[in-house]
Amino acid sequence: QEQLVESGGGLVQPGGSLRLSCATSGFTLRHYAIGWLRQAPGKEREAVSCISSIDGSTSYADSVKDRFTISRDNVKNMVYLQMTGLTPEDTAVYYCASQAGPYCGIVYDYWGQGTQVTVSS
């Protein structure tokens, strides 16, 4: 069965960096787009970034553009989210999720359990 497992979250000071990892199994990663989404307390879930499996094209929310970088390693079955210049507004549970096909869209089929990112001094 399809599984996605996030790791790498934690407590970081404002201005700091974190790299989130998403380990995938049970499906052929190179055939699917993967996204990172986040949800802060009391807020709606927000799509942060997505990477397609066709050409590796990426998309980012305006709130994280130029600070976050998504990447994938189809050999290791991993997807990453490098986060820099973190602010308290980035505090949230971060999820990786798979699309139904190779292109990024708005519907995600399978989700990880999430990893908490807290930005605070």
Side-chain angles (χ1 to χ4, degrees):
Q1 79 213 43
E2 297 196 16
Q3 280 194 316
L4 301 96
V5 180
E6 303 93 338
S7 61
L11 174 64
V12 63
Q13 292 188 341
S17 301
L18 280 177
R19 188 176 83 152
L20 304 184
S21 299
C22 175
T24 70
S25 62
F27 64 101
T28 305
L29 178 61
R30 68 178 183 271
H31 293 164
Y32 298 94
I34 302 292
W36 285 96
L37 303 95
R38 67 185 182 185
Q39 187 162 24
K43 295 187 177 180
E44 292 188 357
R45 186 173 291 168
E46 174 188 21
V48 174
S49 183
C50 186
I51 184 166
S52 80
S53 65
I54 293 295
D55 56 4
S57 58
T58 58
S59 61
Y60 297 92
D62 288 343
S63 57
V64 306
K65 205 169 290 184
D66 298 326
R67 299 188 298 122
F68 290 11
T69 303
I70 190 171
S71 61
R72 62 192 294 153
D73 185 332
N74 292 333
V75 174
K76 294 182 179 179
N77 294 318
M78 298 290 294
V79 180
Y80 305 99
L81 185 69
Q82 179 68 49
M83 307 186 294
T84 63
L86 287 162
T87 75
E89 288 68 39
D90 295 314
T91 295
V93 177
Y94 284 71
Y95 302 89
C96 64
S98 61
Q99 294 273 338
Y103 298 103
C104 291
I106 61 173
V107 178
Y108 289 89
D109 279 356
Y110 295 93
W111 294 73
Q113 82 290 348
T115 186
Q116 176 71 47
V117 172
T118 302
V119 185
S120 175
S121 55

